[in-house]
Amino acid sequence: MQFLSKTYLLLLLLSAIGMLIWGLAGFFEYFTGITPFIPLQNAAYPSGVQFVHWLLISISGGAFLIGYVLEWKWTPFAMVLLYSNLAVLCTIQTFDFMSEQWGYTQYFTEIILYCVHSSFLLFSKTSQSHFGLNW
């Protein structure tokens, strides 16, 4: 079980690195109009929503990466806050600006994953040990 928990924490780290790269690439395309490797902007989203989208993705990836490396004890709490903000943004994007590439199955999957990630970061012994949480 310890192996699975450590693997899950490592997968969260890898996904945070991916989110940071994705968010920064999205900002690059947002500000320059140059497509970095694939088109990242969603034409269905207004400019302000798209900006918040890239901002939250970049901050989430960066916060977890820095928190993980520094073993910052507030990382799990910061990530729960960021995941909840991403869930709200996802809700707005899905129900207000539904596009053909996004559906309810993906929406509910994303919301469930935010809950699972948050629970793991707050309650797993591996996460508590890594981030120095003493419950």
Side-chain angles (χ1 to χ4, degrees):
M1 190 62 156
Q2 182 70 12
F3 172 76
L4 290 176
S5 194
K6 286 184 177 184
T7 301
Y8 192 82
L9 189 59
L10 181 61
L11 288 174
L12 284 178
L13 176 63
L14 293 175
S15 69
I17 293 168
M19 285 179 73
L20 181 59
I21 292 169
W22 180 38
L24 294 176
F27 263 136
F28 176 78
E29 183 180 19
Y30 178 84
F31 286 117
T32 67
I34 300 169
T35 302
F37 37 89
I38 60 169
L40 298 173
Q41 305 306 310
N42 187 331
Y45 303 157
S47 180
V49 172
Q50 195 71 62
F51 178 83
V52 172
H53 175 86
W54 297 124
L55 181 66
L56 285 174
I57 290 171
S58 298
I59 290 173
S60 296
F64 189 82
L65 178 60
I66 291 167
Y68 181 90
V69 169
L70 298 178
E71 299 179 4
W72 184 45
K73 74 175 185 174
W74 297 106
T75 302
F77 303 105
M79 292 312 299
V80 169
L81 178 68
L82 288 164
Y83 289 149
S84 67
N85 280 278
L86 284 166
V88 169
L89 180 64
C90 181
T91 301
I92 292 167
Q93 290 171 333
T94 301
F95 292 100
D96 289 346
F97 308 108
M98 178 73 82
S99 63
E100 62 278 348
Q101 71 231 36
W102 194 249
Y104 296 111
T105 302
Q106 292 87 353
Y107 167 75
F108 288 115
T109 301
E110 188 170 339
I111 299 302
I112 290 168
L113 283 174
Y114 290 144
C115 293
V116 170
H117 297 340
S118 295
S119 297
F120 174 82
L121 288 171
L122 290 175
F123 303 116
S124 84
K125 297 295 181 197
T126 301
S127 175
Q128 290 176 359
S129 173
H130 181 83
F131 295 110
L133 296 175
N134 298 318
W135 294 105

